[in-house]
Amino acid sequence: MLYTIRKALVASALSIPFAVSMAASALAAKVNFEVRNNTTVALEYLYISESHLTDWGNDVLGPEQIIQPGGAVGIDFADLSPQICFYDILAIFADEDEVESMQVNVCDNDWYEFYE
């Protein structure tokens, strides 16, 4: 339970978008984005969708991949349009903890990290 709360608090704090103008976000590119698992639990399912969508879509890790503690995975975005920068992230860990982070700005950040 304590790990769940800490993961959620950390992920929530990281999801707060940085204060930048819309013009700066529109000029940024979302390439080389990485999700890092700096917890003690394997991350088994990862969903990343544009914030304006209502469906999570498919697990971006696929059926054979997980992110081990201390590991990371690169994310390829289907839409490379610089106008779409805000994404929601849902992570499901091996201990069944679920962490949702909303409005993550992937244009202004090179990585997103889960940690305890």
Side-chain angles (χ1 to χ4, degrees):
M1 178 69 174
L2 183 57
Y3 286 126
T4 304
I5 293 169
R6 288 197 305 206
K7 278 187 222 164
L9 289 175
V10 170
S12 296
L14 289 173
S15 67
I16 298 170
F18 291 102
V20 287
S21 70
M22 289 298 285
S25 293
L27 295 175
K30 55 183 179 227
V31 295
N32 301 323
F33 188 77
E34 183 176 75
V35 173
R36 301 173 183 171
N37 180 13
N38 285 326
T39 72
T40 58
V41 181
L43 197 162
E44 293 185 335
Y45 303 96
L46 182 64
Y47 301 89
I48 301 176
S49 68
E50 296 172 13
S51 291
H52 70 274
L53 299 176
T54 59
D55 184 7
W56 282 109
N58 296 325
D59 170 22
V60 299
L61 297 178
E64 302 294 322
Q65 185 178 14
I66 63 173
I67 307 174
Q68 293 292 342
V73 66
I75 302 298
D76 293 324
F77 292 94
D79 181 354
L80 292 177
S81 167
Q83 287 79 25
I84 301 174
C85 290
F86 292 96
Y87 284 74
D88 299 336
I89 299 174
L90 169 62
I92 303 174
F93 292 84
D95 62 2
E96 299 183 7
D97 284 347
E98 293 186 13
V99 179
E100 283 187 25
S101 299
M102 311 306 258
Q103 296 287 315
V104 176
N105 188 333
V106 301
C107 295
D108 290 340
N109 300 292
D110 295 333
W111 52 271
Y112 184 86
E113 181 176 43
F114 293 97
Y115 64 92
E116 299 168 326

